[in-house]
Amino acid sequence: MPVWLCILKEWQKTKYGPTWPFLLGALRNPKESARTSARVGKGDLHRLLEAIRDEMPEDRHLLIKPCYTIDETVALLSAGNEPLTAADAFYSEAKRRNTLYVTQGLFPDLPPSNLPELTEALWVRYGDFIATGRFSKNGEWGEYAPSERELIQRAHETAALQEDLWVE
């Protein structure tokens, strides 16, 4: 099971959906610096969106939508694979279905199913936070809270355990 999927599942046990800086930062090696260049950070974001689009389990999809509680855009993992209404779909050739959706009007100028443009729209909104290692929004953008670090650690352990089960 991909680490990003484990992070989404762990997060949604107690909360609504993680922000894009949270999710992207949680995928990084914790021993490495939290800071990164715009080129590397935007590339990481694009690869994450590609992975979500093309590696989504058959019984799931992801919705990019606003969270009005924290006034940010979040990633919401949803059960089922029925098409979503009031959302722009991103088709996965690998899965032969829509796996990634964006709430209509969230990015008004976003061309249909254009992943590079979605990457750019998210980068414009969150690039500075991602590049400077401010992945968590607890009032203000900053470092992860201890409970968030524990969640990230559990997700990485779950992903590693799942991987080990397939190696045997």
Side-chain angles (χ1 to χ4, degrees), residues 87-147:
D88 298 319
F90 286 73
Y91 185 79
S92 169
E93 291 289 337
K95 295 293 181 174
R96 296 183 183 262
R97 67 183 180 93
N98 296 323
T99 54
L100 176 62
Y101 294 85
V102 177
T103 299
Q104 285 179 346
L106 186 60
F107 302 112
D109 299 328
L110 185 66
S113 209
N114 188 315
L115 207 59
E117 289 293 326
L118 176 59
T119 302
E120 186 62 32
L122 287 168
W123 186 258
V124 165
R125 175 73 179 96
Y126 295 110
D128 184 53
F129 303 121
I130 293 167
T132 57
R134 294 178 288 156
F135 302 124
S136 179
K137 185 173 183 182
N138 293 303
E140 298 293 321
W141 287 97
E143 295 183 7
Y144 292 116
S147 61

Side-chain angles (χ1 to χ4, degrees), residues 24-40:
L24 198 58
L27 293 172
R28 292 200 178 149
N29 182 341
K31 296 177 183 172
E32 294 175 2
S33 170
R35 299 179 77 80
T36 190
S37 69
R39 183 184 58 76
V40 170

Side-chain angles (χ1 to χ4, degrees), residues 1-2 158-168:
M1 182 180 315
T158 300
L161 178 62
Q162 295 291 326
E163 189 173 294
D164 289 345
L165 292 174
W166 289 104
V167 172
E168 295 178 7

